């Protein structure tokens, strides 16, 4: 079993953090997106959507889409549970995971991909206006998170879950873009600090640190 994608960049980071939190070691096979390796015939045979990550099973089965991969791994390695123990927990975690994905990650990605010149290889037509339109959405998402995080340690409750893992990349993106957490969101600032200090996140984002 192996995972196609660079574990330190992009969506593969989510799977890498998920595995680190569980203490599971699955090798990653880097795919250089800037060089177009995800568009080669060999890679398209694994995932016709030309996206990473892709989980390759020992029997030759390929599973694409980050959450589909995480759901498979959750069943294979259930402890610690990152997607819920009961139907209610599963539903609440998935609710917050989708909010992060649709409201926060999507907006941060749009700003990042359409405003960073080095990413022109991935967005040949960078639309500055699209980046500007999505900047307020990034702030709105954090404002939506604030009441929840004022009452709980993490997004879906008091335990670290896949909802928090989905937030790792947009938090990293806005940090690189210099977008600050709104002053009226102290709980978001506290949560962001906790996320970046979590060992599973540190080991993926900063592999050279002890």
């Amino acid at each position: 079993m192996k995972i196609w994608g660079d574990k330190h960049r992009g969506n593969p980071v989510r799977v890498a953090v998920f595995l680190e939190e569980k203490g599971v070691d699955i090798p990653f096979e880097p795919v250089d997106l800037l060089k177009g390796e995800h568009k080669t015939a060999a890679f398209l045979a694994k995932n016709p959507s030309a996206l990473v990550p892709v989980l390759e099973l020992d029997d030759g089965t390929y599973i694409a889409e980050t959450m589909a991969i995480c759901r498979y791994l959750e069943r294979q390695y259930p402890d610690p549970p990152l997607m819920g123990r009961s139907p209610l927990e599963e539903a609440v975690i998935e609710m917050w995971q989708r909010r992060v994905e649709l409201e926060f990650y999507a907006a941060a990605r749009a700003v990042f991909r359409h405003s960073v010149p080095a990413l022109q290889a991935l967005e040949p037509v960078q639309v500055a206006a699209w980046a500007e339109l999505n900047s307020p959405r990034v702030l709105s998402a954090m404002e939506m998170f604030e009441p929840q995080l004022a009452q709980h340690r993490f997004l879906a409750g008091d335990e670290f879950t896949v909802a928090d893992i989905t937030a790792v990349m947009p938090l990293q993106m806005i940090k690189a873009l210099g977008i600050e957490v709104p002053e009226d969101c102290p709980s978001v600032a506290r949560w962001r600090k906790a996320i970046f200090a979590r060992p599973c996140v540190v080991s993926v984002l900063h592999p050279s640190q002890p």
Side-chain angles (χ1 to χ4, degrees):
M1 189 160 51
K2 63 182 173 181
I3 298 168
W4 293 87
D6 187 334
K7 71 182 293 184
H8 306 299
R9 293 183 177 84
N11 269 320
V13 165
R14 294 163 67 183
V15 177
V17 171
F18 191 90
L19 289 170
E20 286 287 339
E21 183 70 15
K22 287 182 174 288
V24 175
D25 184 21
I26 297 177
F28 280 71
E29 189 73 32
V31 178
D32 193 329
L33 304 187
L34 295 180
K35 291 183 179 179
E37 291 180 358
H38 59 307
K39 296 181 179 180
T40 63
F43 187 81
L44 290 173
K46 300 175 180 63
N47 183 12
S49 294
L51 298 171
V52 290
V54 176
L55 172 64
E56 180 179 349
L57 304 183
D58 293 339
D59 67 358
T61 299
Y62 294 104
I63 301 174
E65 302 301 331
T66 302
M67 289 308 297
I69 293 170
C70 288
R71 191 164 295 282
Y72 175 83
L73 295 172
E74 179 84 350
R75 290 295 186 93
Q76 295 296 314
Y77 310 100
D79 295 314
L82 297 176
M83 303 182 85
R85 300 180 183 85
S86 68
L88 178 58
E89 285 186 1
E90 288 179 0
V92 170
I93 291 168
E94 180 62 11
M95 174 180 71
W96 282 103
Q97 194 283 137
R98 288 293 285 167
R99 286 172 175 169
V100 175
E101 202 166 44
L102 296 175
E103 303 296 332
F104 191 39
Y105 198 164
R109 182 178 182 275
V111 177
F112 198 68
R113 293 277 288 257
H114 287 274
S115 64
V116 178
L119 296 180
Q120 196 164 17
L122 300 178
E123 294 287 349
V125 180
Q126 290 184 313
V127 182
W130 184 235
E132 292 175 9
L133 283 169
N134 275 278
S135 291
R137 289 184 58 209
V138 172
L139 301 178
S140 295
M142 288 189 279
E143 289 167 353
M144 178 179 65
F145 299 159
E146 177 61 23
Q148 174 72 358
L149 289 168
Q151 298 181 44
H152 302 284
R153 289 181 62 208
F154 297 104
L155 267 179
D158 292 325
E159 295 184 9
F160 183 77
T161 72
V162 72
D164 305 290
I165 292 174
T166 297
V168 170
M169 283 310 297
L171 287 171
Q172 184 78 344
M173 288 177 193
I174 67 170
K175 181 179 180 181
L177 291 167
I179 298 175
E180 299 291 339
V181 174
E183 290 185 4
D184 59 351
C185 295
S187 300
V188 173
R190 183 268 308 159
W191 167 70
R192 180 181 67 170
K193 185 177 180 180
I195 292 295
F196 283 147
R198 198 164 184 91
C200 65
V201 175
V202 172
S203 67
V204 173
L205 295 183
H206 307 288
S208 61
Q209 287 189 203

